[in-house]
Amino acid sequence: MSDIAIKVDHATKRYGERVILDQIELDVIKGETLVIMGGSGSGKSTLLRMMIGTVPVDGGNIAVMGRTICGLSTEELSEYHKSIGVLFQSGALYNSMTLGENVALPLREHTDLQDETIDIIVKIKLELVGLREHTDKLPSEISGGMKKRAGLARAMALDPQILFYDEPSAGLDPVTSAEIDELIIKLNKVLGVTSVVVTHEMDSAFRIADRMVLLDRGKFIRCGTPAEMRASTDPFVKQFINGLTEGPLTERRQSDEYVDDLLDIKV
Amino acid sequence: MAELQHLSTHVTYADITGDTAIFRLKDEIDLHTSPDLRTDILGALTKGEVKKLVLNLEKVPYVDSSAIAVMVEALQKLRKAGGKVYLTNLSPRVKGLLEIARLDSIFSVVANEADVAAS
């Protein structure tokens, strides 16, 4: 049996003439936590959405657990979505439902479990993210960090073997962020859950990653373990992970078509 | 001794003797199969005066949250009568799942069936 959970094979995404992701090649190994890093416009979120199947691939292929997710019918895509968990940046909760009802929703929609069983699962999942005592609250009654944790409880409702996280630490206080990281690590180490995490929070990235990938303007720059990335002499990697103000990323920003753009406007 | 009939495919052996019901289970138990297991286990609890439910998980490599929920539900029912749920022969993965869910202490986790009598 293959130990590859997700195979990204020359995946390309274009919007019109603009290439957002350029022939990305990447394997996500079963049971690992892979962190995808990159600045704004690097294509990291697009790559995550392509793996989730919500953004179509324009060239190449993405296979999850040995099956392509490109060109799936609506029904096939829906089946695929039942097998994965996704934590969206906002938590993406239904505002008219309590936290408990939000977590129960995938269980009610996709399983034949009895209400008693679902009620217990909801309590277990909310306890996992430290929100059990808030089961009956509406999303509007809790903070942004709590919404994110509730979103994670919902993402875990069906016990997926692959979890995708879109900026799990964004907008969280350091303690809550570390707690979410701890949970990602536990799910990974104890249950063998495969995690793909998009983040630009370096503390969190280094805490949770088995391997890290750096993208820049839609291109693959480097992939390695946290130790390999720290030791990398690649100027892009060095600048990004150390948050340096000088390096190829900022030099490019300074020279990027800015003058041409201004002159064009003047012309 | 009361042999139990028409059990789900996950049950390799089931028996009620006195106040003790024993289930030996096999294979991964997940969302698709836990409803049948729930019927078996909760059904057994209605027979006689069961106070000890023993679930031998030696041949179960993995359970998901729905299977854990069935165990919790069984415990809810037994506790009212002062009973307990014993989990034996846990794989590290199942043990880990219970620990993550902070449920390892509400069940009586023992090494094997023989330890139930001693506990």
Side-chain angles (χ1 to χ4, degrees), chain A residues 46-195:
Chain A
T46 303
L47 178 57
L48 187 85
R49 285 171 199 147
M50 280 164 51
M51 289 179 179
I52 294 166
T54 53
V55 168
V57 177
D58 293 331
N61 187 45
I62 295 180
V64 178
M65 295 299 190
R67 294 187 60 195
T68 183
I69 59 158
C70 303
L72 296 182
S73 65
T74 311
E75 291 78 22
E76 288 168 331
L77 200 56
S78 170
E79 269 312 302
Y80 168 57
H81 286 157
K82 283 182 213 167
S83 71
I84 60 171
V86 183
L87 173 61
F88 295 101
Q89 215 176 117
S90 61
L93 302 170
Y94 288 99
N95 289 325
S96 59
M97 294 182 181
T98 65
L99 301 192
E101 288 165 345
N102 265 285
V103 178
L105 190 64
L107 294 158
R108 294 198 197 289
E109 282 196 340
H110 301 311
T111 75
D112 298 323
L113 297 175
Q114 298 288 319
D115 287 347
E116 292 87 342
T117 308
I118 290 176
D119 288 347
I120 294 169
I121 295 174
V122 167
K123 282 183 189 165
I124 291 173
K125 300 298 176 184
L126 284 171
E127 173 69 18
L128 272 177
V129 298
L131 290 177
R132 189 177 40 79
E133 65 272 35
H134 302 286
T135 305
D136 296 325
K137 286 189 177 161
L138 291 167
S140 58
E141 298 173 298
I142 59 173
S143 70
M146 290 161 83
K147 280 181 198 165
K148 192 161 282 191
R149 285 190 278 154
L152 181 53
R154 195 181 59 186
M156 294 189 298
L158 294 169
D159 289 301
Q161 281 307 292
I162 303 180
L163 272 164
F164 295 94
Y165 302 80
D166 190 4
E167 300 280 7
S169 308
L172 299 185
D173 65 79
V175 174
T176 308
S177 171
E179 281 174 351
I180 296 272
D181 289 347
E182 202 57 44
L183 191 56
I184 295 173
I185 293 166
K186 269 193 204 164
L187 291 169
N188 170 251
K189 300 293 176 234
V190 180
L191 301 184
V193 172
T194 305
S195 301

